[in-house]
Amino acid sequence: MQNYGSNNDLDEKGQVMTDQPKIKVKFEPKPKPSACPICTIEYYQKFFDIEQRDVYMRVRCSLLSWKPEFQQCVAKNPDLWGPLWISTTIIFILFAGGNLSRFLLEEDKKHFQYEYNYMYVAVFLVYAMAFVIPIILGFIMKYILKSELGVFDVVCMYGYSLSVYIFVLILCIIPYNEAQWFFLMSGLANSTIFLLVNLWDFMKKSKPTLMIAIPIIVFNVALILCFKFYFFRLIYAVDD
Amino acid sequence: MEYSNQRPPQNYSQMDDQKTLDLEESVSETIMRDLRMIAFKLKYVLIPKEQEDNGKELRNWDLWGPLIFCLVLAMTLSFKAESTTTSTKSDVFAIIFVLIWVGAFIVTLNAQLLGGKVSFFQSVCLLGYCVFPINIEAIIIAFFGSYLPFVVKLIPVLLCFAWSAYSSVGFMASLVPPHKKKLAVYPVFLFYLFLSWFSLIV
C-alpha cells in the first residue's frame, strides 16, 4: 500500500482521503531581502500596529507613574507612534508656549520680538531626549547589561514618559516663577519615577544594572533645567 | 525586429503630433493650462461637494500647486516678519518651507506605517493643496493685522485652520483601518496647527 498522506483511509469511491483539502495556492514571489532591512517601511510597520485605545491606555499608564504596569500595557508590542507624536507636540508647545510666556511678561507688547531659535533648540532637545538617549541606553542595556528589553522597548518607554510634559509645559505658560518651578518639578518627579519603577525589575539584579538609574535621573534633570532656563526664563528687569 | 526602415507605429506619430502641438503653443497658453489645472484641483480638494467620484481625481497628483502655495505662504510670512536684521526673515522663510515639505512627508509616512495603502505623492499633493486656506489667512493678517485687535485676528485663523483640517481629514481617515483613524488624523491636525500658529504670530 502506498502512503499518500497522513490519512490512508479509502472513502466509498475507493479514493485515498487526505486530511488536507484541495486548495489552490497562488504562487507569490518571495520578497527580495533588502540590503538594509532597517531602512524599509515594512520593518517599522510592526511598531505602528496599535489602535487609538492602546495609545490612550499607555499614556494613562505613564501618567499614573507609580504603578509598574507599563510592560503589561505594552504587552510585547512597543510602538513608535507615541514617542514620535508626543515629542512633536511638546516641540510645538515649547515653541508657542515659550514665546507666549515671554509675551505675557513683556511690557512693550507692540514691539514684541518673536524668538525663532526656540524652534531649532526645541527640535534638537526633545528629539535627543525622546530618541537618541533611549537608543543609546537601550543598546547599553541590551548588549552590555544583558536585559530582556529590546532597544525599541526602551524608546517606547521614554517616549511615553514625556507625555506628562505636554500638560506641565502648557501650565508653565503662566508667568510666575514659583508656579513654573512647581509644575516642572512635578513633571520631573512623574517622568523619572515612571522610568525607574518600570525598569526596577531589571535594575535590582545587580550593582552595574542599578547604575543605569544615574544617567536616567541626570538626563531628566538636565531636560527640565533646559526647559526652565531657556524656554521659560523670566525676565525680571530690562537691561539697558 | 527592425523598425529602422519601417513606418513607426500609429500611436507614436500621434504622440509626436501632440508633442509638436505642445511646443508650438505659446508660453502663456501652457502656463494658463497649468493654472487652470491647479485651480480645478483646488476647487476639488477644498469644496467637498465637488468630490463625487470619491477622490479619484487625486490620482492625477501634481506638486506645482503645493509648491506655489508653500512659496506664497513662506514669502508672505517672511515679508511680514519683524526684524532688525535680515536673519529673522530668512529664518521664517526656511522654517515654513521645511515645515511644509518635511511635515507633509512625515504625516504621509505616518499614514503608510499605520497600514494605509496610499501613493506617497498623492497624499503630499492633497496636504499641499489644503495649505491654501492658511495662505488666505496669512495674507489677511499680513495686510490688516496691525489694525485689528488680537481677538478679531483669531477668527479668520480659526476658520481657515478648521477649513484646512476638515478638507484633508476626510481623505486621511479613509486611508487607514477604523481603529486607527484618530492616529492618522492627529498629525494632520498638528501640522495645520503649526502653520496657522505661524500666520497668527508673525
Side-chain angles (χ1 to χ4, degrees), chain A residues 196-209:
Chain A
L196 294 178
V197 155
N198 282 293
L199 288 174
W200 180 245
D201 277 340
F202 164 71
M203 288 198 299
K204 69 186 179 201
K205 283 187 203 166
S206 62
K207 199 142 191 285
T209 52

Side-chain angles (χ1 to χ4, degrees), chain A residues 63-76:
Chain A
L63 293 176
L64 301 174
S65 56
W66 54 92
K67 297 188 195 175
E69 287 171 351
F70 191 70
Q71 297 300 345
Q72 282 165 276
C73 256
V74 169
K76 301 248 184 283

Side-chain angles (χ1 to χ4, degrees), chain A residues 168 171-172 174-186:
Chain A
V168 159
L171 289 169
C172 275
I174 304 170
Y176 286 115
N177 205 29
E178 290 76 28
Q180 287 181 348
W181 275 118
F182 171 71
F183 294 129
L184 284 171
M185 284 298 162
S186 35

Side-chain angles (χ1 to χ4, degrees), chain A residues 18-62:
Chain A
T18 54
D19 280 339
Q20 294 91 18
K22 284 195 197 318
I23 42 171
K24 277 196 187 340
V25 177
K26 209 168 69 164
F27 174 69
E28 269 168 15
K30 264 206 286 201
K32 255 193 326 200
S34 138
C36 171
I38 251 184
C39 313
T40 59
I41 280 194
E42 287 75 28
Y43 181 80
Y44 293 103
Q45 258 177 342
K46 60 182 190 274
F47 297 115
F48 282 76
D49 191 17
I50 52 162
E51 300 175 0
Q52 312 162 171
R53 206 176 163 273
D54 294 331
V55 172
Y56 167 72
M57 289 305 294
R58 291 172 193 200
V59 170
R60 192 171 162 272
C61 266
S62 99

Side-chain angles (χ1 to χ4, degrees), chain B residues 122-170:
Chain B
Q122 218 176 312
S123 172
V124 171
C125 166
L126 172 90
L127 290 169
Y129 271 98
C130 288
V131 169
F132 181 71
I134 313 243
N135 255 327
I136 298 182
E137 59 156 314
I139 293 176
I140 293 177
I141 293 192
F143 285 119
F144 305 114
S146 30
Y147 311 117
L148 301 171
F150 183 73
V151 184
V152 176
K153 269 199 283 193
L154 263 185
I155 299 174
V157 170
L158 288 175
L159 279 176
C160 291
F161 163 67
W163 187 10
S164 287
Y166 178 70
S167 311
S168 45
V169 152

